[in-house]
Amino acid sequence: MKLKDEIASLFERLEGSFDVHETPTGHQKRFLEKLNQQQPKTVKPTINYWKWGSIAAAIALLVVLGGSLFAPQSSTEADLASVSPELEQTQSFFTATITTEIEKLKQFESPEHQQLIQDALIEVEKLETEYQLLKKDLVESGYNKQVVNAMILNFQSRITILENVSETLTAIKTLKNNTNETYL
C-alpha cells in the first residue's frame, strides 16, 4: 500500500511536466531512413577470426613441438659425458666435488669472509662460462682431444680455486681460535 501511495504522489508532483506533444509529421519516416542509411543493406555472416586464429595457432604450436620431439637431436654443444663413459664418470666426479666445495664455503659465510667467498664464486662463474664455450667447441672440433683436455683443466681450475679459498678460510679460523685462547 505504501508503495502505491509513493508512486501516486510522484505522478502528482510531476503532473504537467511530461512531454505530451505530438511528434512532427514524417518524423518516423525520416528516422527509419537515417537508420537504414547507417546499416549495411546486406547482412554479412560474422566470422570469429580470433577463434579460428587461436585454433590455427594451437595446431601450429602442436606441430612444431611434436616435430621437435621426434626429430633427431642435432646439438650445438656437448659435454664430457657425450664423449665416452669414462669421461662421463670424470664429469660426474668433478661436478660433485665442485658442489661439495661450494657447500664448504657456505659454512664459512660471515661478514668478514663474504668478500673472499664472493670473489671465489665470481672466478668459478667465469670458468663456468668458459666451459659453456668449450662445450660448443667440442662439437665443432669433432670431439678433439685438446678441447676435452681443456674441459678437464677447466673443472680442475674451479676445484683448485674453491679448495684454496676453503683452506684459507680454515687457516683464518684456526688462527683466530689460537690467538683468542687464554693461557694459564
Side-chain angles (χ1 to χ4, degrees):
M1 239 11 195
K2 187 177 182 183
L3 182 61
K4 286 184 182 180
D5 291 338
E6 288 178 15
I7 293 175
S9 67
L10 176 68
F11 278 108
E12 286 174 10
R13 272 187 299 140
L14 295 175
E15 189 175 340
S17 64
F18 290 115
D19 185 11
V20 288
H21 301 298
E22 290 292 322
T23 56
T25 9
H27 174 74
Q28 185 176 8
K29 182 180 176 185
R30 287 190 307 274
F31 177 77
L32 290 175
E33 284 176 3
K34 285 183 181 179
L35 187 62
N36 287 334
Q37 285 175 355
Q38 289 179 353
Q39 292 180 344
K41 302 277 185 211
T42 58
V43 177
K44 294 181 183 178
T46 59
I47 299 173
N48 191 347
Y49 291 107
W50 285 104
K51 179 180 177 183
W52 290 106
S54 298
I55 292 172
I59 291 172
L61 182 63
L62 287 175
V63 168
V64 168
L65 290 176
S68 67
L69 289 176
F70 297 109
Q73 298 295 325
S74 59
S75 177
T76 58
E77 61 181 44
D79 53 7
L80 290 177
S82 62
V83 177
S84 72
E86 293 83 14
L87 288 176
E88 180 178 9
Q89 289 177 348
T90 303
Q91 178 180 329
S92 296
F93 169 76
F94 284 140
T95 306
T97 305
I98 289 171
T99 304
T100 304
E101 290 298 323
I102 290 175
E103 290 301 317
K104 280 184 189 177
L105 286 183
K106 287 182 180 179
Q107 293 174 358
F108 289 106
E109 277 191 37
S110 68
E112 58 190 19
H113 301 134
Q114 183 178 3
Q115 188 63 43
L116 184 60
I117 294 171
Q118 188 176 11
D119 289 345
L121 293 176
I122 288 171
E123 288 301 314
V124 169
E125 188 63 35
K126 286 179 186 176
L127 287 169
E128 174 64 28
T129 303
E130 289 178 18
Y131 183 76
Q132 297 303 321
L133 295 174
L134 286 171
K135 286 169 55 173
K136 291 177 184 176
D137 288 346
L138 184 64
V139 172
E140 291 172 6
S141 70
Y143 298 93
N144 186 326
K145 284 186 177 185
Q146 290 177 332
V147 178
V148 170
N149 288 336
M151 293 172 88
I152 292 171
L153 185 61
N154 182 289
F155 274 123
Q156 290 171 339
S157 298
R158 285 189 264 173
I159 292 170
T160 302
I161 289 171
L162 293 171
E163 285 176 340
N164 287 342
V165 171
S166 183
E167 289 172 7
T168 302
L169 291 172
T170 302
I172 291 172
K173 185 177 179 181
T174 304
L175 184 63
K176 277 189 172 186
N177 287 341
N178 288 342
T179 55
N180 290 336
E181 289 180 358
T182 55
Y183 295 102
L184 294 177

